[in-house]
Amino acid sequence: MNLRTNNPLNSERAVHYKLYKSGKLWIVMGLSVISFIGSTAFTTTFAHADNNVPNQTIVTAAKSKASIEDTDSLTTTSQSSDQASLTASSSNSATTASVQAATMDSTANSNNRPTSQVSTTAVNDSTSQSTSQVAASAVSKSQANIQIASNATAVSSAKPATRVRAMATSPVAMQTKPTAYKIQSKQIIRNQYQWQGNNLYYYGNDGQPITGLRHYSNNKLEYYGTDHVQYRNRYASQGNQLYYFGSNGDAVTGLRHYGNNKLEYYGTDHVQYRNRYASQGNQLYYFGSNGDAVTGLRHYGNNKLEYYGTDHVQYRNRYASQGNQLYYFGSNGDAVTGLRHYGNNKLEYYGTDHVQYRNRYASQGNQLYYFGSNGDAVTGLRHYGNNKLEYYGTDHVQYRNSYASLGNHCITLVAMVMLYQLIDHKPKQILSVPCVLLKKRNKS
């Protein structure tokens, strides 16, 4: 019998028959269905090529005419059955060998040749002449090819788990795919800050990091050194002008305390004050040649003197002492000189060196004053030296050639001094002479 299988190699497959006795009759039963299923499951190979290859057909099996001829074989005699069994056994052996060779050859060459070329190689390598004829007959019939394609589609959709995927080896699939390279262009930084570790840079409109002073926003100022790094917590100079830049990189303005009770000042233009005054509210400071606020006495101008406390604030309308010397600074901050009236008819005196007089005389014109141990000018009698006495009026001026009244008595200072010298330096009753008698005696 000329039976064909679904084997992709289109090889001829032998069909086995088995005899059964039913009474006096022998019944022949074909095993082609079982053999057909086993052969299909064993030999079916699916090859998947690249999806981009056009018009590529996967050949799975050639449809045989076994189903038609199997029906007729059921009515054959036992003699023809035995002969068919022998012939089928021989053909089956050849077919099995051809299928195995085709399968091995297809697997070995699947990486180097297309699927259609693998099938052709398997047919050429078959040692069975009947296999070659079956394959040629299957290829020449267009109807069988159409059914082969439909069977391949049915098998692939019914049992996807049984597919054996092979690498597509068509010339189109083996072409090298182009590699896409992404070229990153360097981004230019303009008019913005850029951190590099702990260093801050600013890139200008030309994309280059700046150096020197940079004014920005509302009267803000920052500085970048020759290495383009922003200055923080440090000084920077431009010509004879000095700036200080704080922890945020901005130039400071106003008072800046630093070190051990040191103080400096920066104006609204961020420049440090040197050899000039600066005020904060009603407090006045003076900053010297090194930029630090002064403390203590400061001599300036034409014999002028001012004083700054430990808080660097100028003294006004108050005393200040340096050692055992006392100064008084007026409303303008300058140390006073000459007489100073204060309090309830009190008077003190400061010399040309601005130091307060104590325990000493001071004259203003033809008037003489004496200032006691507390710096105040004395009034009344003053005993001094070797049993000496002098008198100062309520205006603190020393009496000379004039009377001074003691209670309801009066005496000239000259007479009083003479009497002290003549009468054992002890005042007697004569000193209590009424002023009227003294005046009459002086007139006569």
Side-chain angles (χ1 to χ4, degrees):
M1 287 183 287
N2 187 15
L3 299 178
R4 301 184 186 275
T5 67
N6 283 334
N7 195 305
L9 300 177
N10 293 327
S11 61
E12 186 176 9
R13 176 176 58 83
V15 180
H16 295 273
Y17 297 91
K18 189 171 183 180
L19 297 176
Y20 294 90
K21 186 176 182 181
S22 177
K24 294 181 179 182
L25 299 177
W26 288 90
I27 300 174
V28 180
M29 183 177 184
L31 300 178
S32 62
V33 177
I34 298 174
S35 177
F36 175 78
I37 296 173
S39 176
T40 302
F42 178 76
T43 61
T44 300
T45 303
F46 298 95
H48 295 273
D50 192 351
N51 293 331
N52 295 325
V53 179
N55 300 326
Q56 185 174 354
T57 305
I58 302 174
V59 180
T60 58
K63 180 67 176 176
S64 67
K65 297 180 181 179
S67 61
I68 300 173
E69 296 178 358
D70 286 344
T71 305
D72 297 335
S73 65
L74 293 175
T75 59
T76 57
T77 59
S78 60
Q79 184 177 358
S80 60
S81 299
D82 295 337
Q83 186 176 0
S85 299
L86 294 174
T87 305
S89 299
S90 177
S91 299
N92 190 37
S93 299
T95 302
T96 303
S98 177
V99 170
Q100 291 177 353
T103 303
M104 294 175 63
D105 189 71
S106 176
T107 304
N109 297 318
S110 62
N111 293 329
N112 298 319
R113 286 176 290 184
T115 306
S116 60
Q117 193 174 1
V118 171
S119 300
T120 306
T121 304
V123 174
N124 293 334
D125 293 339
S126 175
T127 59
S128 175
Q129 182 178 1
S130 60
T131 304
S132 301
Q133 293 175 355
V134 172
S137 177
V139 171
S140 63
K141 295 181 180 180
S142 61
Q143 183 177 1
N145 289 336
I146 296 172
Q147 193 145 2
I148 287 170
S150 64
N151 288 339
T153 305
V155 172
S156 63
S157 61
K159 295 182 179 181
T162 61
R163 295 181 182 179
V164 179
R165 297 187 178 181
M167 181 182 295
T169 57
S170 65
V172 178
M174 293 180 65
Q175 291 181 359
T176 305
K177 294 182 178 181
T179 304
Y181 295 94
K182 184 178 181 181
I183 302 175
Q184 295 181 350
S185 61
K186 184 178 179 182
Q187 184 179 2
I188 300 177
I189 302 174
R190 297 177 186 271
N191 299 319
Q192 60 177 296
Y193 295 97
Q194 184 73 29
W195 282 100
Q196 293 287 326
N198 293 328
N199 296 328
L200 185 64
Y201 304 83
Y202 187 83
Y203 291 83
N205 192 42
D206 58 353
Q208 298 298 320
I210 66 172
T211 59
L213 294 173
R214 174 182 174 256
H215 296 271
Y216 75 102
S217 190
N218 186 17
N219 191 35
K220 291 187 177 181
L221 180 68
E222 54 191 7
Y223 185 84
Y224 295 87
T226 54
D227 58 355
H228 310 286
V229 178
Q230 187 190 72
Y231 273 30
R232 293 195 170 197
N233 298 317
R234 62 183 294 187
Y235 295 98
S237 60
Q238 290 281 284
N240 60 351
Q241 295 178 326
L242 189 67
Y243 305 84
Y244 187 84
F245 300 90
S247 58
N248 62 349
D250 289 337
V252 300
T253 58
L255 294 173
R256 175 181 174 259
H257 296 271
Y258 76 101
N260 186 16
N261 191 34
K262 291 186 177 182
L263 181 66
E264 55 190 7
Y265 186 86
Y266 296 87
T268 55
D269 58 354
H270 311 284
V271 179
Q272 187 190 71
Y273 274 29
R274 294 194 171 194
N275 298 317
R276 62 183 294 187
Y277 295 98
S279 61
Q280 290 282 284
N282 58 352
Q283 295 178 326
L284 190 66
Y285 305 84
Y286 188 84
F287 299 91
S289 58
N290 62 351
D292 289 336
V294 301
T295 57
L297 293 173
R298 174 181 173 259
H299 296 271
Y300 75 101
N302 186 16
N303 191 33
K304 292 185 177 182
L305 181 67
E306 54 190 7
Y307 186 85
Y308 297 87
T310 55
D311 59 355
H312 311 284
V313 179
Q314 187 190 73
Y315 274 28
R316 292 193 172 196
N317 298 317
R318 60 184 295 189
Y319 295 98
S321 61
Q322 291 281 285
N324 59 351
Q325 295 177 326
L326 190 67
Y327 304 84
Y328 187 85
F329 300 90
S331 58
N332 63 351
D334 288 336
V336 301
T337 57
L339 293 173
R340 175 179 173 260
H341 297 270
Y342 75 100
N344 186 16
N345 192 33
K346 291 186 176 181
L347 181 66
E348 55 190 7
Y349 186 85
Y350 295 88
T352 56
D353 59 355
H354 311 284
V355 177
Q356 187 190 71
Y357 274 28
R358 292 194 173 192
N359 298 317
R360 62 183 292 186
Y361 293 99
S363 62
Q364 288 282 289
N366 58 354
Q367 295 178 328
L368 189 66
Y369 304 86
Y370 187 85
F371 300 91
S373 58
N374 62 353
D376 289 338
V378 299
T379 58
L381 291 173
R382 173 182 173 260
H383 298 273
Y384 72 101
N386 187 13
N387 194 29
K388 291 183 178 181
L389 180 66
E390 54 190 7
Y391 187 85
Y392 295 88
T394 57
D395 57 357
H396 311 285
V397 178
Q398 187 190 69
Y399 273 30
R400 292 191 175 189
N401 298 318
S402 63
Y403 294 98
S405 61
L406 298 175
N408 57 354
H409 296 82
C410 65
I411 189 172
T412 63
L413 292 177
V414 177
M416 186 173 64
V417 172
M418 293 175 62
L419 289 172
Y420 265 79
Q421 293 175 351
L422 294 175
I423 309 173
D424 299 331
H425 306 291
K426 295 179 180 180
K428 300 296 181 179
Q429 189 66 30
I430 190 173
L431 295 178
S432 300
V433 176
C435 292
V436 177
L437 295 177
L438 289 175
K439 292 178 180 179
K440 289 182 179 179
R441 189 173 298 176
N442 289 335
K443 288 179 181 180
S444 62

